[in-house]
């Protein structure tokens, strides 16, 4: 099975940088995803890592270390609209690529203040 | 609009009743996933269908069942409802292998059992 840990809540100031950590334990690994979810809305895709290293996409970057079972999401130049829950999700290795199921962490609620 | 359509958006029903939630996946996606999200549990995987066949089961209660029809839409049936079943129910879809984007989520159905 999979076990995913991330902080429950974080606070930051508008314009600042925040790093949200995620650690995972899984019997097999085939990718890690970050999603953003505003209250009462659907999760939306932010980033995907399958190899070690940093993936940058605008104000958002995600890092993965497979040997450490560790990832982080880095948000730069924070805006008020970034206040949301950030979900880390792991995809296990599957014998058939058509049958992958994501396991989600409980999410990190980020509050951005003026 | 993510391309994944869920109906209804809101549902209020009494304990002991049965409801059906409906999901139409994004065009071209063969996989449909159902997730339950409550405040304390985060996104919990219920069940996955791929091209009409059940492919993976998660923490789905025996009172719950699902199916995927030939046109690829899916229905989640919840019966003998209890207060604890109140939650957001999300449907997501993906292409084969859920490639680099993981899932696309629908806007969810908020179920309130009174």
């Amino acid at each position: 099975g999979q076990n995913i840990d991330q902080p429950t809540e974080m606070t930051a100031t508008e314009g600042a940088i925040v790093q949200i950590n995620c650690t995972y334990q899984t019997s097999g690994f085939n990718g890690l995803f970050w999603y953003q979810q505003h209250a009462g809305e659907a999760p939306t895709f932010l980033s995907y890592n399958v190899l070690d290293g940093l993936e940058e996409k605008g104000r958002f970057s995600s890092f993965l270390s497979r040997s450490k079972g560790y990832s982080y999401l880095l948000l730069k130049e924070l805006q008020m609209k970034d206040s949301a829950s950030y979900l880390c999700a792991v995809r296990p290795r599957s014998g058939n690529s058509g049958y992958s199921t994501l396991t989600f962490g409980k999410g990190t609620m980020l509050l951005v203040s003026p | 609009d993510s391309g994944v359509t869920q109906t209804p958006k809101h549902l209020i029903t009494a304990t002991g009743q049965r409801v059906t939630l409906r999901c139409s996946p994004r065009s071209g996606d063969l996989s449909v996933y159902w997730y339950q999200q409550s405040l304390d549990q985060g996104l919990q995987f219920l069940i996955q269908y791929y091209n009409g066949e059940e492919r993976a089961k998660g923490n789905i209660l025996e009172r719950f069942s699902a199916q995927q029809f030939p046109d690829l839409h899916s229905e989640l049936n919840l019966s003998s409802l209890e207060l604890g079943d109140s939650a957001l129910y999300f449907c997501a879809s993906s292409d084969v292998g859920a490639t680099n984007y993981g899932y696309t989520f629908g806007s969810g159905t908020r179920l309130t059992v009174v």
Side-chain angles (χ1 to χ4, degrees), chain A residues 2 24 57 65 69 78 80-81 85 97 100 103 109:
Chain A
Q2 292 88 39
Y24 64 89
K57 188 187 287 187
S65 169
L78 281 172
M80 298 295 288
K81 67 178 182 179
S85 183
S97 63
S100 58
T103 297
M109 181 65 68

Side-chain angles (χ1 to χ4, degrees), chain A residues 40-72:
Chain A
E41 299 182 8
T44 55
F45 169 82
L46 286 179
S47 69
Y48 166 72
N49 296 71
V50 68
L51 300 176
D52 291 351
L54 189 68
E55 294 285 340
E56 296 186 83
K57 188 187 287 187
R59 295 189 299 115
F60 296 80
S61 303
S62 57
F63 171 83
L64 175 68
S65 169
R66 289 172 296 171
S67 63
K68 296 182 179 178
Y70 168 70
S71 172
Y72 68 71

Side-chain angles (χ1 to χ4, degrees), chain B residues 21-42:
Chain B
L21 312 185
R22 194 178 192 280
C23 169
S24 293
R26 195 178 55 167
S27 178
D29 286 352
L30 299 179
S31 280
V32 170
Y33 312 80
W34 286 97
Y35 282 81
Q36 179 192 57
Q37 187 176 42
S38 55
L39 281 174
D40 57 342
Q41 289 297 320

Side-chain angles (χ1 to χ4, degrees), chain A residues 5-22:
Chain A
D5 288 313
Q6 44 181 139
T8 304
E9 291 181 355
M10 297 183 71
T11 58
T13 306
E14 199 173 12
I17 299 172
V18 70
Q19 177 175 313
I20 302 174
N21 295 325
C22 170

Side-chain angles (χ1 to χ4, degrees), chain A residues 30 33 35 37 39-45 47-48 57 87 91 96-106, chain B residues 31 33 35 37 40-43 45 48 50 55-56 88 90 96-103 105-107 110:
Chain A
N30 193 20
F33 297 80
Y35 283 80
Q37 185 179 25
E41 299 182 8
T44 55
F45 169 82
S47 69
Y48 166 72
K57 188 187 287 187
L87 311 176
R91 180 173 63 194
N96 184 321
S97 63
Y99 311 138
S100 58
T101 302
L102 296 186
T103 297
F104 286 82
K106 292 189 176 182
Chain B
S31 280
Y33 312 80
Y35 282 81
Q37 187 176 42
D40 57 342
Q41 289 297 320
L43 271 170
F45 170 66
Q48 176 200 1
Y50 176 77
R55 283 304 175 189
L88 260 173
F90 285 106
V96 173
T99 55
N100 292 354
Y101 294 92
Y103 304 163
F105 283 84
S107 57
R110 181 173 294 281

Side-chain angles (χ1 to χ4, degrees), chain B residues 86-99:
Chain B
S86 296
L88 260 173
Y89 290 83
F90 285 106
C91 167
S93 72
S94 74
D95 59 3
V96 173
T99 55

